[in-house]
């Protein structure tokens, strides 16, 4: 998976959740979509995610996060950048290039008015939320756990025509 494919995954995820501004829902759906991909693609997606984290590790963006959230520790900045990734490519790239542009986003304005932090800690662990496939009675099992502790489990039901693995969630 390259950056373009990663951003397509995020866009598909944002289109499938009921509230694309809910970073936890976006992260949960992204993990579910990743779970259906070959392991190599999951690893590549994780690398792209961390490359984006490196690309966005700038003092001006940290200052914008500090202002938007009323403070910003080093972990808080990681979570802010996780949130920023859940907002999609256009918002992410614009904010990295011009952090002041964040002030124009309705979600940022609403969060500031309500005193809600912009954070997406769950996004940072989307690949980790998918446990590695393990043999269970001839199938591979996948677990996806949300931060609230709810678990979606699935089992491999076989390859598709394209060679990817089909996963049945329960």
């Amino acid at each position: 998976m390259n950056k373009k494919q990663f951003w397509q995954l995020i866009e598909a995820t944002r289109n499938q959740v009921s509230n694309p501004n809910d970073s936890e829902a976006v992260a949960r759906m992204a993990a579910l979509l990743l779970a259906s991909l070959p392991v190599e693609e999951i690893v590549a997606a994780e690398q792209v995610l961390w490359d984006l984290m490196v690309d966005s590790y700038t003092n001006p963006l940290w200052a914008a996060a500090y202002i938007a959230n009323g403070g910003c520790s080093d972990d808080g900045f990681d979570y802010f950048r996780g949130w920023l990734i859940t907002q999609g490519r256009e918002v992410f790239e614009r904010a990295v290039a011009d952090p002041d542009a964040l002030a124009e986003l309705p979600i940022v304005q609403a969060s500031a008015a309500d005193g809600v932090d912009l954070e997406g800690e769950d996004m940072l662990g989307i690949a980790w939320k998918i446990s590695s496939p393990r043999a269970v009675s001839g199938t591979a099992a996948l677990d996806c756990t949300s931060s609230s502790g709810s678990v979606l489990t699935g089992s491999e039901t076989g390859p598709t025509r394209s060679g990817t693995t089909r996963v049945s969630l329960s």
Side-chain angles (χ1 to χ4, degrees):
M1 178 174 292
N2 59 34
K3 275 188 182 179
K4 180 179 179 184
Q5 293 165 325
F6 180 86
W7 285 121
Q8 289 171 339
L9 173 85
I10 299 302
E11 191 61 32
T13 298
R14 288 178 54 78
N15 288 333
Q16 290 184 37
V17 297
S18 60
N19 180 2
N21 289 323
D22 180 350
S23 65
E24 186 175 324
V26 172
R28 190 172 34 253
M29 181 60 72
L32 289 173
L33 292 177
L34 278 176
S36 68
L37 299 176
V39 172
E40 297 80 14
E41 290 296 310
I42 296 168
V43 171
E46 179 76 358
Q47 184 60 56
V48 171
L49 173 71
W50 289 101
D51 289 345
L52 294 171
M53 292 294 287
V54 169
D55 293 346
S56 60
Y57 193 87
T58 67
N59 285 334
L61 187 60
W62 197 331
Y66 188 95
I67 292 167
N69 286 344
C72 191
S73 66
D74 52 350
D75 286 346
F77 186 48
D78 285 347
Y79 306 156
F80 175 83
R81 290 179 293 145
W83 168 83
L84 191 57
I85 291 168
T86 69
Q87 299 306 296
R89 183 179 194 164
E90 183 180 326
V91 170
F92 177 86
E93 289 179 349
R94 185 168 179 215
V96 170
D98 179 17
D100 290 341
L102 286 167
E104 300 169 11
L105 297 176
I107 183 66
V108 174
Q109 294 169 0
S111 294
D114 295 340
V116 176
D117 284 350
L118 300 168
E119 68 90 18
E121 179 181 6
D122 291 344
M123 188 62 195
L124 305 181
I126 58 171
W128 293 105
K129 296 210 182 285
I130 308 165
S131 61
S132 61
R134 58 193 184 275
V136 178
S137 305
T139 65
L142 299 170
D143 293 333
C144 296
T145 307
S146 74
S147 63
S148 64
S150 60
V151 176
L152 291 173
T153 58
S155 60
E156 185 177 306
T157 59
T160 63
R161 289 184 192 161
S162 66
T164 60
T165 301
R166 184 180 305 118
V167 176
S168 172
L169 296 175
S170 56

